[in-house]
Amino acid sequence: MNQLVTRGIVLSRTEYGEADRIVTLLTPDHGKLRLMARGVRRAKSKLAGGIELFSISDITFIQGRGEIGTLISTRLNEHYGRIVRNLDRVQLGYELIKLLNKVTEDNPEAEYFALLEQAFQALDDPAIDAGLIRLWFETHLLRIAGHSPNLRTDTADQKLALDHTYNFDFDAMAFTPHASGHFNADHIKTLRLLSSGHPPADLQKVQGIEAALPVIAPLIRTMLQTHIPRS
């Protein structure tokens, strides 16, 4: 059988037998892989160091005839070790991994791998607000899945105005003008920034973004629950 080489991020690990483990990995070019890591729980296993959580590893594997292949070798490429120094960031990291694992199919786009890699980079920097990282991640999950809100025009197809306030129409995935609406230009600007190509480290520097996050957080969560199944 041909051996294949790629990069992988561990999404889950399941104990199997006395010394083995089934590992689910996200890759940029082979989608999600379920691989048997034989003997990995033994003290001298050469595989163990390359399947740590919050890491990116170079892996060699063989695709199985069924849904589970075999992990041949691993080499740690990058380990984001500062994440585990803070319990809240560890918990958030677990939540993001679990969420991505649930929403991705067997052959997810490479963007999901890049998204999780950038999330690890941000979580590894204690100066970046964890709430910002969470909302940035959730916003991009919506974007990749094709469920981004309309941040240019309202429900009447009119350009969003700086001097208007809005409510949000979840059926239309767009804002609708309202004299006492919950959202203003600053909130819409923040949503645009979150869905842009800027990483959390850059967004952290934007003046006023922290004040907008608590207002838009319920909006993003509701969009995520509505449009992205988790089962």
Side-chain angles (χ1 to χ4, degrees):
M1 293 184 179
N2 292 331
Q3 294 186 5
L4 301 172
V5 178
T6 187
R7 290 189 300 154
I9 297 175
V10 174
L11 299 179
S12 68
R13 302 180 295 188
T14 303
E15 308 298 316
Y16 188 86
E18 294 184 0
D20 303 337
R21 183 176 284 151
I22 297 174
V23 185
T24 300
L25 298 114
L26 181 68
T27 73
D29 48 2
H30 292 279
K32 284 168 66 172
L33 299 173
R34 294 188 72 215
L35 302 176
M36 179 68 71
R38 300 193 183 280
V40 71
R41 289 153 57 197
R42 295 194 180 102
K44 296 183 179 180
S45 171
K46 295 181 179 180
L47 295 177
I51 54 171
E52 293 296 322
L53 292 173
F54 308 126
S55 299
I56 297 175
S57 297
D58 299 318
I59 66 168
T60 302
F61 69 99
I62 296 174
Q63 290 181 322
R65 294 181 179 179
E67 64 176 26
I68 301 178
T70 301
L71 187 61
I72 301 300
S73 67
T74 64
R75 183 177 66 85
L76 189 64
N77 186 296
E78 186 74 46
H79 178 59
Y80 299 97
R82 285 188 292 184
I83 296 176
V84 299
R85 299 178 189 175
N86 182 285
L87 184 59
D88 290 337
R89 297 178 92 82
V90 169
Q91 183 61 39
L92 177 55
Y94 284 143
E95 291 178 15
L96 299 187
I97 290 171
K98 185 178 180 180
L99 175 58
L100 192 144
N101 193 23
K102 286 184 176 180
V103 304
T104 51
E105 301 295 334
D106 290 336
N107 294 297
E109 302 172 30
E111 278 191 279
Y112 287 108
F113 182 91
L115 176 63
L116 193 52
E117 182 177 21
Q118 288 185 69
F120 286 170
Q121 292 170 355
L123 286 169
D124 200 53
D125 184 347
I128 302 176
D129 179 70
L132 171 62
I133 297 171
R134 178 193 291 275
L135 293 179
W136 167 87
F137 186 89
E138 293 173 343
T139 300
H140 280 278
L141 277 185
L142 287 164
R143 178 188 60 78
I144 297 171
H147 296 292
S148 292
N150 184 348
L151 301 177
R152 296 299 171 186
T153 57
D154 63 21
T155 51
D157 204 29
Q158 298 298 307
K159 186 176 180 180
L160 296 174
L162 294 175
D163 58 349
H164 283 37
T165 57
Y166 298 88
N167 286 330
F168 193 79
D169 185 328
F170 287 97
D171 291 329
M173 284 293 279
F175 290 94
T176 185
H178 193 283
S180 56
H182 296 293
F183 306 102
N184 59 31
D186 288 338
H187 302 134
I188 294 170
K189 174 187 175 183
T190 300
L191 283 168
R192 289 172 178 165
L193 287 169
L194 287 172
S195 59
S196 71
H198 297 289
D202 291 345
L203 299 179
Q204 177 100 351
K205 302 173 185 177
V206 177
Q207 186 174 3
I209 195 170
E210 291 185 4
L213 294 180
V215 179
I216 65 174
L219 174 62
I220 294 173
R221 302 280 164 71
T222 302
M223 284 191 285
L224 198 68
Q225 292 168 4
T226 301
H227 295 284
I228 298 184
R230 302 195 187 192
S231 59

